């Protein structure tokens, strides 16, 4: 009897949603715990660029080019186009629900239910924690490389200072500098959004200028004959390259988590999300054209392909610029990553899914200091003691899952709520599209025969049929604010391709997804469901267009 009562309460709690408040105010807080709105559209664009472009622009482009050849340009173009579709989904939801922090967690809480939101948070947060530690160690290594340009210092710095000591027990690796850098960035973030925005602006502008210099200088060294053949290994190599390049764009969603600090979120968030991504696409394609035009693709180096390409032309000063650009890129990526994590913890603290201490905001600095310090501590421990690179193959699960849920949220929030049976049918169609994406990804990955393309037709055809059912069986409302075009086709394509990419990840990433989901359900069952308060009046109201305008 007690067991059935527990399950009944669990089901009831898990299916709760966060209601949109009826107040037209963007944000209210009876306790004075709100953040300060200081970010304009330019700040948000720089925030997105800072999150997306790290040192990878100088490395990943060359790595993909070694397999795809000059066709790497198409790889990054395809990946960028896919991310733009995801960005359109994010932009619509950011325009509809722009009042507070939360991003994908908040959108899934509003559109689906409490348990889905908690699962999205859990998976994205693990990605953020491991990613921040990995970036901190990479940043420390690049800083040491700069110091080693001094002849008296070279070869005199122990590995444990910045590059990481030899592994102990296969996963413990001491790094002294990475935690120090994390402490500095955490202090900057705790001081206020003004200070952190200034650092991000300076660093992001610096790295964008360096990337532009690299493109312009490299353009004078391009030999057009290196672009032929354009796709030496065929279209499949370009498509495989696109699956790798896709993750180079991940980060634009950070803008959605700055909603509560945006001056005019309904107008500026879509600008920040889409604008930053478009800038990233242009920069990546520019670097791809330069690197494949300067050196034949099969002669590109493995570790630092772009730097080696310039050294081969006698342009050693550009290699130094690339190192500086890498430091600036990693700094902004790490800074924005820590910023986003703290805002997500703030959102869950407010909703009661985490202890209330995470919801506290400093009365004068207007930053979630406890959340920020906690995020810094986790990254400090991981970066200082562990060789987190061994965990790199389980990353990106959270991003792909979050992007897919956001795309589903766009459709769900557009449906006519009065038709319950069709709503259930719609959720089933979304699930079918996701499953077809995974099956197609598995077939593409493991089937080496040319017959694979015949087998691929089946899951693709089923997904198209499900998308058609979403198009013609559901009633979609026109909403004020920014709207994603071609709903439900664009969100359906996003879900299919995101899960297709999920199938390309290491099998341990799939295991991580299942295990972490089970752990998250247990945490929610024994803590979250009893403490959650999705409609707390003393915390927050969400922006909503007045009824007269909506009509």
């Amino acid at each position: 009897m007690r067991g059935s009562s527990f399950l009944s309460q669990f089901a009831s709690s898990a299916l709760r949603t966060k209601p949109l408040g009826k107040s037209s105010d963007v944000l209210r807080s009876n306790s004075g715990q709100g953040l300060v709105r200081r970010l304009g559209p330019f700040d948000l664009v720089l925030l997105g660029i800072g999150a997306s472009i790290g040192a990878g622009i100088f490395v990943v482009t060359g790595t993909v080019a070694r397999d795809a050849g000059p066709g790497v340009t198409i790889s990054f173009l395809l990946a960028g186009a896919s991310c733009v579709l995801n960005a359109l989904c994010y932009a619509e939801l950011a325009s509809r629900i722009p009042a507070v922090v939360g991003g994908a967690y908040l959108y899934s809480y509003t559109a689906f239910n409490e348990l889905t939101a908690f699962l999205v948070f859990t998976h994205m947060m693990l990605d953020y924690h491991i990613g921040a530690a990995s970036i901190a160690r990479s940043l420390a290594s690049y800083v040491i490389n700069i110091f080693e340009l001094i002849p008296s210092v070279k070869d005199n710095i122990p590995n444990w200072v910045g590059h990481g000591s030899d592994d102990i027990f296969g996963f413990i690796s001491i790094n002294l500098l990475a935690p120090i850098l994390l402490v500095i960035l955490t202090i900057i973030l705790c001081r206020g959004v003004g200070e952190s925005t200034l650092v991000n602006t300076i660093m992001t502008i610096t790295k964008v200028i360096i990337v532009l210099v690299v493109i312009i200088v490299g353009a004078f060294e391009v030999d057009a004959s290196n672009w032929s053949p354009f796709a030496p290994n065929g279209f499949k190599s370009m498509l495989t390259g696109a699956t790798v390049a896709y993750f180079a764009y991940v980060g634009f969603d950070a803008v959605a988590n700055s909603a509560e600090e945006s001056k005019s979120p309904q107008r500026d968030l879509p600008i920040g999300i889409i604008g930053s991504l478009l800038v990233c696409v242009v920069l990546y394609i520019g670097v791809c054209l330069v690197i494949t035009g300067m050196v034949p693709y099969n002669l590109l180096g493995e570790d630092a392909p772009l730097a080696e390409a310039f050294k081969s032309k006698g342009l050693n000063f550009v290699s130094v610029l690339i190192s500086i650009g890498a430091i600036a890129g990693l700094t902004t990526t790490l800074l924005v990553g820590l910023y986003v994590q703290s805002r997500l913890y703030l959102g869950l603290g407010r909703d009661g899914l985490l202890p209330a201490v995470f919801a506290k905001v400093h009365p004068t600095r207007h930053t979630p200091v406890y959340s920020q310090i906690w995020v810094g501590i986790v990254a400090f421990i991981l970066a200082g003691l562990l060789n987190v690179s061994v965990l790199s193959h389980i990353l990106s699960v959270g991003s792909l899952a979050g992007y897919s849920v956001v795309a589903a949220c766009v459709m769900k929030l557009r449906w006519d709520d009065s038709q319950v049976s069709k709503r259930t049918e719609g959720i089933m169609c979304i699930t079918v599209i996701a499953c077809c994406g995974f099956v197609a990804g598995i077939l593409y990955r493991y089937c080496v025969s040319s017959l694979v393309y015949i087998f691929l037709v089946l899951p693709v055809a089923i997904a198209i049929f499900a998308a058609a059912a979403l198009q013609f069986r559901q009633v979609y409302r026109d909403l004020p604010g920014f709207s994603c075009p071609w709903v439900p086709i664009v969100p359906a394509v996003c879900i299919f391709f995101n899960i297709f990419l999920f199938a390309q990840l290491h099998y341990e990433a799939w295991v991580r997804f299942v295990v972490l989901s089970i752990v998250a359900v247990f945490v929610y069952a024994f803590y979250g469901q009893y403490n959650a308060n999705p409609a707390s009046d003393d915390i927050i109201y969400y922006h909503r267009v007045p009824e007269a305008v909506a009509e």
Side-chain angles (χ1 to χ4, degrees), residues 210-276:
I210 289 175
V211 172
L212 291 175
V213 169
V214 166
I215 293 173
I216 293 170
V217 173
F220 290 97
E221 302 293 334
V222 165
D223 181 357
S225 64
N226 290 330
W227 288 334
S228 181
F230 189 75
N233 297 317
F235 178 75
K236 185 174 182 179
S237 66
M238 293 192 293
L239 184 58
T240 302
T243 64
V244 178
Y246 180 90
F247 300 106
Y249 292 106
V250 170
F252 62 87
D253 53 304
V255 178
N257 288 283
S258 62
E260 195 169 324
E261 289 155 299
S262 172
K263 292 178 181 177
S264 179
Q266 191 169 29
R267 181 198 67 188
D268 295 345
L269 288 179
I271 294 174
I273 293 171
I274 298 174
S276 62

Side-chain angles (χ1 to χ4, degrees), residues 81-93 95 270 273-274 406-407 410-411 414 471 476-494:
S82 176
C83 284
V84 167
L85 297 182
N86 281 286
L88 290 172
C89 295
Y90 260 96
E92 172 169 323
L93 296 179
S95 176
I273 293 171
I274 298 174
V406 166
V410 170
M411 292 186 279
R414 290 270 200 108
Q471 173 70 54
Y476 295 89
R477 296 172 294 177
D478 291 327
L479 301 171
F482 180 89
S483 294
C484 174
W486 305 311
V487 173
I489 303 304
V490 167
V493 171
C494 289

